[in-house]
Each structure stands twice: as C-alpha cells, then as structure tokens.
Amino acid sequence: MKNTLYAVVAATSIAAMPAANAVDFDVQITNLSNAIYFTPFLVAAHPAGNNLFVSGQPASANLQAMAEGGDISGLEADVMALGATIVTDPASGLLGPATSTTFTMNTDSTSNDRLSIVAMLLPTNDAFAGLNAVEIPTAPGTYRFDVPAYDAGTEANDELITGGGMPGTPGIPADPNGLAGTGGTGAAAADANPNVHIHRGNLGDSNATGGPSDLDSSVHRWLNPVIRVTLTVR
Amino acid sequence: MLFNPTTKVRLLAVGAVAIVAAACDNDSSVPATPATPPQPTATFEVTVTNLTNAQPLSPVAVIAHQAGYSVFDIGSPATEGLEMLAEGGDNSALIAAASGNADVIATASGAAPIGPAGSETIFFAVLESELPGLNLSTSTMLVNTNDAITGVNGFDIAELAVGESVSLRSIAYDAGTEANTEAAADIPGPAGGGEGFNAARDDLADRVAMHSGVVSQEDGKPTSDLTGQHRFDNPIAAFRIARIN
C-alpha cells in the first residue's frame, strides 16, 4: 500500500488560508458484489472543480487505460498535478467480492475538499466504479456513499476473455475467480453510447464452451451499487 | 407454504408494558402508593412498500438494536436464522435469536407477505432511555428466488424526533447459503412452490454479498423456472420510518 501526501507544494502556497478543509478521516471501500473483482483503486482528495470523468462526456485516455486494463498511473499523474492527497492500491492488489479495505487520509493544510475513487471491474471490458468528486464532510461522523458501475464507452462489451487490457485492445484481461468459460463468439459490438455512462451490466450466457459470451450469466452479472465507500470523519 | 401468514405483530414485552404505564401517566388521579415510576417510551412505525414487479416479500422482521448487533455483515456467513429467512421466508428463528441478544432492544414481525405494490405498517416501541445508539434493521425474503433478501441493515434512528420520519430504499442481497438454481423445486414462493430452508450451503461462496439478480429462462438460463416477470433491479423496497410518540 502506498499512502502518499502530495501536500508540500500546496501547503506552502496556501499557508495563509484558514484550515477550513482540514479533515482527518478513515475510508473503507467495500466490494458489495457477488463475483466481481476490482483492480487497484485510485483514491484522491482533490480541489473542487476537477473530475476524473463526466457522465455523457468521452473518457480521457487515462480513464480509458484504467477502465480497460486497470492501469491507474495516468490518472495518478493527473491528480498529482492538482496537488491531490492520494492513496493508491489500498487493498494491495485485487479487491475480491464481499471484501473491504480500510485506510486513513488527512487533508490538513490543503484545499482538497473533494473525493474521487475509481477502479476497473473484472471481468468486464471497460467497466469501472466511480465515486465522482463528492464533497468530503467536515463534521465528525460516518458517511456512506453507494457507488455504481460506469461504462467508459471506449471498448465493445464483447465479453471475451482474451487477456486484452491495453487501451484499444478488445477483450477482457482476466476473470480472477476462474469461473468464466471459453469459445464465445462476442456478446456485443461497440457501445451505442461512446461516452461515459452507467454500465448496462454483464450479459453472460449459460454455455461454458460457446455462446456469445465467455461470462456466466448466473455468476458474472451485477446490480448497482457495486462498491460502498464509508467515510469516518474524526 | 414456507412463510406463516398468521404470524402476529409482536411487540417486545417491555415495550408493551411501558405503553400501558405511559397511558396510566395521563390519568390525573394520583395513586396513594405510587408503584415504580412509569418510564416514557418512544413508539416507531415502519411502513414497508414492495417496489418489485413479481417478487412477494416474506413477513418482515423488524429489529431495533444497539451497534453490537447486525442482521448480517457483507462478506461474513449468514446466521442460521437469516438462512431460514432467506431460503424459506420464515423470520421466526432470526427474531428469536435477536430477542436473545443483549444488544437487541425490541423486535416485531410483519403479519403477512407483502405482494408487489403492497405495503404494511409495523410498530415497535422502546424506552426513551434506550434511544441513545438505537439502530433499526429489517429483513425480508424475495420469495421467488433461492435466497435473496432485502432490508435496512443498521440505520441510526436515535435522533428521530416525535413526528419526524425518514424514507429509505433497500437493495437486494444474496444470503450466500443456496445456489441460485432458479429451479421451482428450490423456490418457496408462488413461482416455484418448492423447498424453503435446507441446511446445506452450496452457493458460490458462504457469505452475504449483493444479489446479482435472477437471470430467468427467457434471458438465457435454460434450467430456470423463473420468467422475465421475476427479474428485479434495485431498489427492492421502500421503508418509511416514523417516530409517532
């Protein structure tokens, strides 16, 4: 787990500001799903007016890399440029179904009063969970956010396990629980909506060695929300 | 029939006694030898509305408790009481186990299953001295499934003032105790008429997680006896919680 404060620059430039956004809080991310895994999360407290994605707008290249292959390095560089307070990969790898990861953040002496969290869903082509720049509460207490799955809109949801995780490469990188089939012919062509949108869910089928999808309709579907983020402000 | 439509609304005895005591308190006559001073109570009503197309909800278990109790935790195996509710719609074991838990303040049960578009109001009462830290949980089965449940899982109602209400919507969870065969023989609701509780645990994993929905035969699961009518999406039920005195 890498827990890094990128507050040095910001602290010197806003040292005269009142510490209105000083918040010390715990974050718990729970994978609510029954059979979906999440690639390493990017968690960023950042200034208002910035978004990693916007529904109805095309995904950035860095969002696409996260959604198609779980690569958060580009988005990490984006938020570092904002002076964000970040945590990457809090679960030290994949976050499995019905499991949680908990960590602490501190935005003292920063203007990082918004929280964004993203990670890719496996096995999917380009689905990601996205908590999108919510205001970080300052009053002590426990706050819960239920987060849906979005489709980055950048890759056809063919539902074929091909190992393809590079941006622009078709297919699903992997099914970590090993319950996917083979021999699918391709469940779907390109998304009707090429912008970021709420994901329509995996389709799957009941044929482990053929059919349109390599995924199992009784295993790999989900209903929103997919993760629960619990903030405990001290 | 795996759920019991004759189940009566039950108020925990201490709550019922306290209500009587509070009523006596309104009497202007002063008893010559006052007994134990009556303790003020807080009465709540929970109105449950079924938002689904074709998933009747089994009689709702209502449990008022402190933080040390929970009906379930994501990622942990279901208790046997919850398994019985989730597989057969019978809330009696869950309520009995809760009643024996030191962190549980009051329990109540819905009187009957709640059909699609139906609703029911269930009452419970606690002593005002028991309000700090009071949480509400509810649990009910989607009976045309193998082991899907919905409900409120630990919502803080301690600060709810008299006359105030809060409205919540609940999502579907998979108890993780029975494989989602969608076969009539395994579904106790009217779509199946099959078996309810079975102690075997043969789901994908023995732990509670969110439900991924029913597939149905019409959507490509050849062995399913459910139809597209039985599919559902979140939210499943609406809960209006009001403090009435």
Side-chain angles (χ1 to χ4, degrees):
Chain A
M1 175 174 165
K2 189 169 72 171
N3 184 345
T4 313
L5 285 174
Y6 293 94
V8 179
V9 176
T12 50
S13 59
I14 60 164
M17 286 178 60
N21 300 317
V23 182
D24 185 17
F25 57 102
D26 295 326
V27 182
Q28 181 180 56
I29 302 174
T30 300
N31 176 350
L32 298 171
S33 79
N34 205 11
I36 299 293
Y37 287 71
F38 288 88
T39 60
F41 284 90
L42 172 65
V43 182
H46 56 81
N50 300 282
N51 298 86
L52 298 180
F53 65 94
V54 179
S55 291
Q57 298 291 321
S60 69
N62 289 335
L63 189 86
Q64 179 180 4
M66 180 277 296
E68 295 187 15
D71 178 4
I72 56 175
S73 60
L75 292 177
E76 180 181 352
D78 290 345
V79 295
M80 280 173 62
L82 300 171
T85 305
I86 74 167
V87 173
T88 58
D89 193 15
S92 298
L94 299 176
L95 184 68
T99 59
S100 297
T101 181
T102 304
F103 50 93
T104 296
M105 299 185 82
N106 189 329
T107 58
D108 196 13
S109 303
T110 74
S111 54
N112 296 328
D113 60 357
R114 295 293 189 279
L115 186 68
S116 292
I117 300 177
V118 292
M120 177 193 187
L121 283 70
L122 286 175
T124 70
N125 289 88
D126 61 340
F128 68 97
L131 182 70
N132 195 359
V134 299
E135 187 168 2
I136 300 169
T138 53
T142 300
Y143 304 85
R144 199 182 87 182
F145 302 88
D146 282 355
V147 180
Y150 293 87
D151 190 315
T154 55
E155 181 175 307
N157 293 348
D158 64 13
E159 301 189 1
L160 302 180
I161 309 282
T162 63
M166 295 298 288
T169 305
I172 296 173
D175 174 26
N177 63 22
L179 295 171
T182 58
T185 57
D191 292 347
N193 181 353
N195 303 308
V196 175
H197 56 273
I198 292 291
H199 202 287
R200 62 189 192 264
N202 279 336
L203 185 64
D205 60 38
S206 297
N207 186 339
T209 56
S213 172
D214 285 347
L215 305 183
D216 186 331
S217 58
S218 296
V219 174
H220 296 114
R221 291 185 175 188
W222 73 84
L223 298 176
N224 283 324
V226 289
I227 62 170
R228 176 166 295 160
V229 175
T230 306
L231 302 185
T232 304
V233 178
R234 289 194 286 269
Chain B
M1 197 66 174
L2 277 304
F3 41 82
N4 177 4
T6 64
T7 306
K8 296 290 189 293
V9 175
R10 289 189 291 254
L11 286 172
L12 192 67
V14 65
V17 168
I19 288 171
V20 172
C24 293
D25 194 37
N26 293 333
D27 190 336
S28 58
S29 64
V30 179
T33 52
T36 309
Q39 298 199 59
T41 60
T43 304
F44 295 86
E45 63 175 33
V46 183
T47 300
V48 186
T49 302
N50 182 337
L51 302 175
T52 71
N53 180 58
Q55 288 287 347
L57 299 175
S58 68
V60 179
V62 175
I63 300 168
H65 58 89
Q66 299 292 330
Y69 173 88
S70 61
V71 173
F72 66 85
D73 296 301
I74 294 283
S76 294
T79 62
E80 188 171 64
L82 184 63
E83 180 182 9
M84 289 177 172
L85 185 153
E87 295 182 9
D90 179 359
N91 68 23
S92 59
L94 182 74
I95 289 178
S99 299
N101 186 302
D103 288 312
V104 171
I105 309 298
T107 63
S109 172
I114 304 171
S119 66
E120 180 182 4
T121 299
I122 304 164
F123 299 86
F124 69 94
V126 302
L127 298 177
E128 283 194 355
S129 59
E130 295 168 327
L131 283 174
L134 191 69
N135 276 256
L136 178 69
S137 290
T138 61
S139 195
T140 175
M141 178 193 185
L142 286 69
V143 301
N144 288 327
T145 68
N146 291 89
D147 61 341
I149 56 172
T150 193
V152 175
N153 195 21
F155 184 81
D156 188 341
I157 57 171
E159 306 302 322
L160 209 59
V162 175
E164 278 187 347
S165 68
V166 60
S167 292
L168 309 171
R169 291 184 167 193
S170 64
I171 59 181
Y173 297 92
D174 190 317
T177 59
E178 181 177 309
N180 293 341
T181 61
E182 303 185 16
D186 302 324
I187 291 173
E195 182 185 60
F197 171 69
N198 181 315
R201 298 204 172 191
D202 56 357
D203 212 336
L204 193 60
D206 182 12
R207 42 88 174 127
V208 181
M210 268 188 69
H211 204 285
S212 52
V214 298
V215 179
S216 82
Q217 183 167 140
E218 288 159 338
D219 200 27
K221 188 176 175 70
T223 54
S224 175
D225 291 315
L226 299 178
T227 75
Q229 299 278 358
H230 301 116
R231 290 168 52 78
F232 56 83
D233 199 353
N234 293 319
I236 305 297
F239 292 83
R240 181 181 179 275
I241 306 160
R243 183 174 168 192
I244 56 176
N245 79 11

